[in-house]
Amino acid sequence: MAADVFSRGGYRGTTMIEIANASGISKPTLYHYFKNKEEILVRLYEDVMEQSVEQAEHIAVEVENPADALHALIKQRVVATCENQAIHKVFFEEEEELPRPMMEKLLQSRHEYEGIFKSVLLRLTDDGYAMTDPVDATLYVNTCLGAANWVYKWYDPNGSRTPEDIGSHIANYLLAGLAAMSANISLTV
Protein backbone atom coordinates (compact mmCIF):
# COMPACT_ATOMS: atom_id res chain seq x y z
CA MET A 1 0.00 0.00 0.00
CA ALA A 2 2.90 2.34 0.72
CA ALA A 3 4.10 1.96 -2.86
CA ASP A 4 0.68 2.99 -4.16
CA VAL A 5 0.56 6.02 -1.86
CA PHE A 6 4.16 7.03 -2.69
CA SER A 7 3.49 6.62 -6.42
CA ARG A 8 0.49 8.95 -6.29
CA GLY A 9 1.81 11.66 -3.96
CA GLY A 10 5.56 11.24 -4.16
CA TYR A 11 7.76 10.34 -1.23
CA ARG A 12 7.99 13.86 0.17
CA GLY A 13 4.29 14.49 -0.27
CA THR A 14 3.24 11.33 1.57
CA THR A 15 2.61 11.10 5.29
CA MET A 16 2.64 8.12 7.62
CA ILE A 17 -1.05 8.69 8.32
CA GLU A 18 -1.82 8.36 4.59
CA ILE A 19 0.10 5.08 4.47
CA ALA A 20 -1.69 3.84 7.61
CA ASN A 21 -5.10 4.81 6.22
CA ALA A 22 -4.40 3.16 2.85
CA SER A 23 -3.24 0.03 4.65
CA GLY A 24 -6.31 -0.07 6.86
CA ILE A 25 -4.30 0.11 10.07
CA SER A 26 -3.88 2.73 12.75
CA LYS A 27 -0.94 5.12 12.74
CA PRO A 28 0.39 3.65 16.04
CA THR A 29 0.27 0.16 14.52
CA LEU A 30 2.24 1.37 11.49
CA TYR A 31 4.80 2.97 13.82
CA HIS A 32 5.10 -0.37 15.61
CA TYR A 33 6.59 -1.83 12.40
CA PHE A 34 8.33 1.22 10.88
CA LYS A 35 9.77 4.17 12.76
CA ASN A 36 9.32 6.50 9.76
CA LYS A 37 8.50 6.60 6.07
CA GLU A 38 12.19 6.42 5.15
CA GLU A 39 12.27 2.89 6.61
CA ILE A 40 9.29 1.99 4.46
CA LEU A 41 10.97 3.39 1.36
CA VAL A 42 14.17 1.49 2.11
CA ARG A 43 12.18 -1.74 2.57
CA LEU A 44 10.48 -1.20 -0.81
CA TYR A 45 13.85 -0.84 -2.52
CA GLU A 46 15.30 -3.86 -0.73
CA ASP A 47 12.30 -5.97 -1.69
CA VAL A 48 12.44 -4.96 -5.37
CA MET A 49 16.17 -5.68 -5.65
CA GLU A 50 16.01 -8.94 -3.70
CA GLN A 51 13.15 -10.22 -5.85
CA SER A 52 14.83 -9.08 -9.06
CA VAL A 53 18.14 -10.79 -8.25
CA GLU A 54 16.42 -14.00 -7.15
CA GLN A 55 14.30 -14.19 -10.31
CA ALA A 56 17.27 -13.43 -12.57
CA GLU A 57 19.46 -16.04 -10.84
CA HIS A 58 16.71 -18.62 -11.26
CA ILE A 59 16.39 -17.91 -14.99
CA ALA A 60 20.16 -17.89 -15.53
CA VAL A 61 20.48 -21.30 -13.89
CA GLU A 62 17.32 -22.97 -15.20
CA VAL A 63 17.35 -21.88 -18.86
CA GLU A 64 20.26 -23.62 -20.58
CA ASN A 65 20.21 -21.95 -23.98
CA PRO A 66 21.75 -18.48 -23.47
CA ALA A 67 19.60 -16.77 -26.12
CA ASP A 68 16.48 -18.24 -24.48
CA ALA A 69 17.78 -17.21 -21.05
CA LEU A 70 18.42 -13.64 -22.23
CA HIS A 71 14.92 -13.54 -23.72
CA ALA A 72 13.47 -14.85 -20.44
CA LEU A 73 15.43 -12.30 -18.38
CA ILE A 74 14.17 -9.39 -20.46
CA LYS A 75 10.62 -10.70 -20.52
CA GLN A 76 10.62 -11.29 -16.76
CA ARG A 77 11.85 -7.74 -16.12
CA VAL A 78 9.06 -6.30 -18.29
CA VAL A 79 6.39 -8.48 -16.68
CA ALA A 80 7.55 -7.58 -13.15
CA THR A 81 7.54 -3.89 -14.04
CA CYS A 82 4.06 -4.03 -15.58
CA GLU A 83 2.57 -6.07 -12.76
CA ASN A 84 4.08 -3.83 -10.09
CA GLN A 85 3.80 -0.46 -11.78
CA ALA A 86 3.36 1.61 -8.62
CA ILE A 87 6.37 0.18 -6.81
CA HIS A 88 8.53 0.58 -9.93
CA LYS A 89 7.44 4.20 -10.30
CA VAL A 90 8.62 4.76 -6.74
CA PHE A 91 11.76 2.71 -7.40
CA PHE A 92 12.79 4.76 -10.43
CA GLU A 93 11.59 8.20 -9.35
CA GLU A 94 12.34 8.39 -5.63
CA GLU A 95 15.89 7.05 -5.56
CA GLU A 96 17.35 10.39 -4.45
CA GLU A 97 15.32 10.11 -1.23
CA LEU A 98 17.27 7.07 -0.05
CA PRO A 99 19.86 7.49 2.69
CA ARG A 100 23.49 7.26 1.49
CA PRO A 101 24.19 3.77 2.96
CA MET A 102 21.11 2.43 1.20
CA MET A 103 22.25 3.98 -2.09
CA GLU A 104 25.52 2.06 -1.82
CA LYS A 105 23.65 -1.17 -1.08
CA LEU A 106 21.28 -0.50 -3.97
CA LEU A 107 24.20 0.01 -6.36
CA GLN A 108 25.75 -3.27 -5.23
CA SER A 109 22.45 -5.07 -5.86
CA ARG A 110 22.13 -3.43 -9.27
CA HIS A 111 25.65 -4.53 -10.20
CA GLU A 112 24.80 -8.05 -9.07
CA TYR A 113 21.61 -8.01 -11.14
CA GLU A 114 23.38 -6.59 -14.21
CA GLY A 115 26.14 -9.16 -13.72
CA ILE A 116 23.61 -11.95 -14.13
CA PHE A 117 22.52 -10.46 -17.45
CA LYS A 118 26.16 -10.07 -18.54
CA SER A 119 26.99 -13.66 -17.60
CA VAL A 120 24.12 -14.89 -19.79
CA LEU A 121 25.23 -12.59 -22.61
CA LEU A 122 28.77 -13.93 -22.31
CA ARG A 123 27.43 -17.48 -22.48
CA LEU A 124 26.35 -16.64 -26.02
CA THR A 125 30.02 -16.64 -27.05
CA ASP A 126 30.45 -20.14 -25.66
CA ASP A 127 27.36 -21.18 -27.60
CA GLY A 128 28.78 -19.89 -30.89
CA TYR A 129 26.51 -16.86 -31.22
CA ALA A 130 28.20 -14.63 -33.77
CA MET A 131 28.11 -10.85 -34.34
CA THR A 132 29.86 -8.56 -36.81
CA ASP A 133 30.78 -5.88 -34.32
CA PRO A 134 32.04 -6.10 -30.75
CA VAL A 135 29.22 -5.75 -28.25
CA ASP A 136 29.79 -3.72 -25.13
CA ALA A 137 28.11 -5.96 -22.55
CA THR A 138 27.46 -3.11 -20.14
CA LEU A 139 25.90 -0.94 -22.84
CA TYR A 140 23.79 -3.82 -24.16
CA VAL A 141 22.55 -4.84 -20.70
CA ASN A 142 21.74 -1.23 -19.80
CA THR A 143 19.85 -0.88 -23.09
CA CYS A 144 17.84 -4.00 -22.28
CA LEU A 145 17.09 -2.83 -18.77
CA GLY A 146 16.21 0.66 -19.95
CA ALA A 147 13.70 -0.71 -22.44
CA ALA A 148 12.29 -3.20 -19.93
CA ASN A 149 12.06 -0.79 -17.02
CA TRP A 150 10.59 2.14 -18.93
CA VAL A 151 7.27 0.30 -19.39
CA TYR A 152 6.18 1.51 -15.96
CA LYS A 153 5.66 4.93 -17.62
CA TRP A 154 3.37 3.78 -20.41
CA TYR A 155 1.93 0.34 -19.66
CA ASP A 156 -1.87 0.37 -19.47
CA PRO A 157 -3.29 -2.56 -17.47
CA ASN A 158 -6.57 -2.03 -19.35
CA GLY A 159 -4.84 -2.09 -22.73
CA SER A 160 -4.99 -4.86 -25.31
CA ARG A 161 -1.58 -6.40 -24.54
CA THR A 162 -0.64 -8.50 -21.54
CA PRO A 163 2.62 -7.97 -19.68
CA GLU A 164 3.85 -11.31 -21.06
CA ASP A 165 3.04 -10.26 -24.63
CA ILE A 166 4.79 -6.91 -24.20
CA GLY A 167 7.77 -8.64 -22.56
CA SER A 168 8.11 -11.12 -25.41
CA HIS A 169 7.98 -8.38 -28.02
CA ILE A 170 10.55 -6.21 -26.27
CA ALA A 171 12.85 -9.23 -25.78
CA ASN A 172 12.45 -10.17 -29.46
CA TYR A 173 13.33 -6.63 -30.57
CA LEU A 174 16.41 -6.49 -28.36
CA LEU A 175 17.62 -9.95 -29.39
CA ALA A 176 17.03 -9.14 -33.06
CA GLY A 177 19.69 -6.46 -32.72
CA LEU A 178 22.20 -9.07 -31.64
CA ALA A 179 21.12 -11.50 -34.36
CA ALA A 180 21.57 -8.77 -36.98
CA MET A 181 25.22 -8.46 -36.02
CA SER A 182 26.14 -11.95 -37.25
CA ALA A 183 29.84 -12.77 -37.83
CA ASN A 184 32.62 -12.69 -35.23
CA ILE A 185 31.64 -12.04 -31.64
CA SER A 186 33.76 -10.01 -29.29
CA LEU A 187 32.19 -8.91 -26.03
CA THR A 188 33.70 -6.27 -23.80
CA VAL A 189 32.77 -6.21 -20.13
Side-chain angles (χ1 to χ4, degrees):
M1 295 311 299
D4 289 336
V5 177
F6 284 148
S7 75
R8 286 191 304 272
Y11 173 77
R12 289 185 185 204
T14 298
T15 65
M16 289 291 276
I17 192 72
E18 289 173 311
I19 295 169
N21 289 341
S23 302
I25 60 174
S26 68
K27 189 175 172 183
T29 300
L30 182 60
Y31 275 108
H32 175 74
Y33 294 101
F34 299 97
K35 69 179 178 184
N36 55 38
K37 68 181 183 178
E38 182 179 89
E39 268 192 11
I40 296 171
L41 185 69
V42 166
R43 175 71 63 83
L44 291 173
Y45 275 83
E46 288 172 342
D47 289 350
V48 167
M49 285 312 304
E50 184 178 305
Q51 248 183 358
S52 297
V53 169
E54 284 176 9
Q55 291 169 337
E57 285 174 339
H58 176 76
I59 290 168
V61 169
E62 294 298 317
V63 182
E64 287 185 36
N65 178 293
D68 292 344
L70 194 55
H71 187 281
L73 284 167
I74 296 166
K75 180 178 175 180
Q76 184 282 322
R77 180 78 256 131
V78 171
V79 169
T81 302
C82 289
E83 290 179 349
N84 303 287
Q85 221 169 349
I87 200 167
H88 284 89
K89 179 179 185 198
V90 172
F91 190 83
F92 297 119
E93 295 181 8
E94 301 292 348
E95 188 174 290
E96 70 277 357
E97 300 297 339
L98 291 170
R100 176 59 44 207
M102 180 59 198
M103 279 302 299
E104 292 167 10
K105 185 177 178 184
L106 176 64
L107 287 174
Q108 289 173 344
S109 294
R110 278 191 183 157
H111 291 310
E112 181 181 1
Y113 184 73
E114 292 166 3
I116 296 166
F117 264 80
K118 288 178 188 178
S119 70
V120 170
L121 185 60
L122 293 171
R123 281 176 32 207
L124 286 172
T125 60
D126 298 335
D127 207 38
Y129 205 84
M131 290 175 261
T132 53
D133 297 315
V135 173
D136 181 315
T138 300
L139 183 59
Y140 183 78
V141 167
N142 285 333
T143 299
C144 291
L145 293 176
N149 289 330
W150 191 253
V151 298
Y152 88 92
K153 284 281 206 185
W154 56 263
Y155 171 66
D156 179 2
N158 299 314
S160 61
R161 294 193 182 265
T162 66
E164 291 79 8
D165 183 45
I166 294 169
S168 285
H169 277 81
I170 290 174
N172 288 340
Y173 301 152
L174 292 166
L175 289 170
L178 286 179
M181 300 170 69
S182 57
N184 297 322
I185 189 166
S186 173
L187 290 175
T188 58
V189 180

